[in-house]
Amino acid sequence: MFKPHTSTTLQQDLESIFTSIKQASLDIYAMLQKNLGEYTESTNVTGDTQLQADVQADIILQEAFKNIVCIKQICSEEQENAIPLHKNGLYSIAYDPLDGSSLMGANLSVGSIFGIYAGDFLPQNLVASAYVVYGMVVGIGFASLLKEGVDYFTYNGKEFDLQKCLRLSNKGKLNATGGTQKNWSKAHKMKIESLFNAGYRLRYSGGMVPDLHHILVKGGGLFSYPATSDAPNGKLRMLFEVFPFAFIFERAGGKAVFISELESKTTATPLLELQPKHLHDTTPCYFGSTWEIDFVSH
Ligand code: AHM
Ligand code: MG
C-alpha cells in the first residue's frame, strides 16, 4: 500500500478534496435542473455520444480541483488523457463526472464517482472514494482508509448532514445485473436465475450509482455487470467506476470481484488486484455482500 503521508496529513488532504466534491456536487445539481438531457455532437474516448450535461459536469469538476495543491493530476471519463495540476501534488483523482447521464431524459437519478489515488492511477494506491447521487436530494457516500464503513451525507439546503455510516450485512435481498441478457454467458445466467429462484428481487435502474447505493442502503445484495458475447471486457471502466466502488464495497464490509469462466472453471479475483493498461480500460465486475459474492465465485 502506498503510504507516503502521516494519517494527519492524509486526513487534511482528504478533507480539502471532499469539501471541493461537496461544493461541486451542488453546482452540478443546479446545472442538472436547467438541463433536460440534450446531446452534443461529440463522442468521448469510449465512443459514447456526450450530453451537454456530461461536458458541463466535467468542467465544474475541473474548476473545483484545479486550485487544490495536494492534487497532482486528474482524469475524467470524458477526457482522453490525464490533466496535470500541481507538480508537487501527491494525489491522482479519476472521476466519472456524470454517470448514467442517458437516464436524464427519463428523470431518473444520475451520479458522479471519484477514486482518490495516492500516487499513480493504480488500484493499490486508492486511499479514498466518493460517489454523489443526484436524486430527490443530493447524497454523498465517502469512504477512506482512515475509517471503516461508508459515511453517507445528504444536503439539507444549508449543509451536508451525516445520515449514517453504511455497512453491509452478510447477505441481502437485491439482485441488480446489467448488459444485454441474450449475450450473457450460461454460467452468469444460471447464477442470476438461482438468486431469483431463492427469492431475490430485481432492482436495476441502469444507473450504477443509484443501483449500488441502493444495495449499500439496504445493507446487502448483488450488483453485476458481466462479460457478454458482444462486450467480453464488460462496459464499466476500471478507473472511473469499478475501482472506486470496489473500494467502497470493501470498506462497507462487502466484496468486489472479477469472475472468469474458462473451461467450466470459475476464478474470482478481487477487482482491486486488476492492473489497468490504459486509463479507459473496462472490466466485468461483481459487487455485493459476502454471501452473494462467495455464491457467484464458485
Ligand atoms: P455511462 O458512464 O456512459 O453513463 O455508463 C455507465 C452506466 C452505468 O451507470 C450502468 O450500470 C450501465 O452503464 C448501464 O448499462 P446497460 O444499459 O448496458 O445496462
Ligand atoms: Mg459512467
Side-chain angles (χ1 to χ4, degrees):
M1 183 99 31
F2 191 90
K3 274 196 180 164
H5 271 186
T6 63
S7 58
T8 317
T9 320
L10 178 63
Q11 187 162 11
Q12 285 164 355
D13 291 345
L14 291 182
E15 262 167 32
S16 70
I17 293 169
F18 188 43
T19 301
S20 66
I21 289 175
K22 286 197 273 196
Q23 183 53 53
S25 73
L26 298 179
D27 296 342
I28 292 174
Y29 197 55
M31 178 273 290
L32 293 176
Q33 285 165 358
K34 289 185 246 140
N35 200 313
L36 297 176
E38 293 90 355
Y39 281 88
T40 64
E41 295 195 343
S42 52
T43 51
N44 66 14
V45 119
T46 322
D48 305 323
T49 304
Q50 292 174 306
L51 283 91
Q52 287 171 12
D54 289 316
V55 176
Q56 287 176 25
D58 193 20
I59 292 168
I60 290 169
L61 288 165
Q62 283 179 37
E63 285 298 309
F65 291 138
K66 78 174 184 200
N67 293 322
I68 301 181
V69 291
C70 65
I71 304 178
K72 176 174 131 189
Q73 58 181 340
I74 55 175
C75 183
S76 155
E77 185 178 298
E78 302 303 333
Q79 303 282 335
E80 181 163 4
N81 298 308
I83 301 172
L85 288 186
H86 300 282
K87 202 163 77 258
N88 295 325
L90 171 64
Y91 302 94
S92 300
I93 302 183
Y95 62 92
D96 182 352
L98 204 57
D99 182 72
S101 50
S102 64
L103 301 174
M104 280 178 64
N107 198 16
L108 293 175
S109 295
V110 294
S112 301
I113 311 168
F114 305 87
I116 300 158
Y117 301 79
D120 288 333
F121 293 113
L122 293 170
Q124 62 270 27
N125 291 347
L126 268 171
V127 289
S129 289
Y131 63 85
V132 184
V133 197
Y134 307 101
M136 286 185 291
V137 296
V138 182
I140 303 189
F142 184 76
S144 82
L145 285 183
L146 298 171
K147 101 183 252 284
E148 285 183 10
V150 179
D151 283 339
Y152 178 61
F153 303 82
T154 55
Y155 188 65
N156 65 15
K158 286 193 181 131
E159 60 196 357
F160 281 92
D161 290 327
L162 178 63
Q163 292 298 337
K164 67 190 287 201
C165 181
L166 304 172
R167 290 171 197 274
L168 292 168
S169 310
N170 181 50
K171 194 171 187 293
K173 294 180 184 158
L174 307 186
N175 190 7
T177 183
T180 309
Q181 297 193 11
K182 75 179 176 62
N183 298 331
W184 284 354
S185 70
K186 276 199 185 120
H188 179 76
K189 191 171 187 314
M190 273 172 56
K191 287 169 186 172
I192 294 303
E193 279 179 4
S194 305
L195 290 175
F196 284 134
N197 291 338
Y200 279 73
R201 296 170 198 151
L202 173 66
R203 292 291 183 269
Y204 190 74
S205 74
M208 182 184 196
V209 176
D211 288 335
L212 284 170
H213 176 62
H214 196 176
I215 290 171
L216 288 164
V217 164
K218 293 281 162 67
L222 178 71
F223 175 97
S224 49
Y225 201 105
T228 53
S229 55
D230 58 335
N233 293 324
K235 173 182 182 189
L236 298 175
R237 296 86 174 171
M238 291 189 191
L239 284 176
F240 310 111
E241 297 162 326
V242 173
F243 292 156
F245 267 115
F247 182 88
I248 281 170
F249 268 65
E250 289 192 1
R251 296 314 285 166
K255 292 185 178 178
V257 295
F258 162 80
I259 291 177
S260 79
E261 313 270 359
L262 282 177
E263 293 164 9
S264 6
K265 187 175 178 314
T266 304
T267 316
T269 311
L271 287 164
L272 294 179
E273 289 179 12
L274 301 181
Q275 296 301 308
K277 292 196 180 69
H278 304 287
L279 293 175
H280 293 268
D281 280 355
T282 62
T283 180
C285 49
Y286 293 73
F287 305 86
S289 29
T290 305
W291 189 91
E292 287 82 353
I293 294 294
D294 290 347
F295 174 76
V296 294
S297 297
H298 296 103

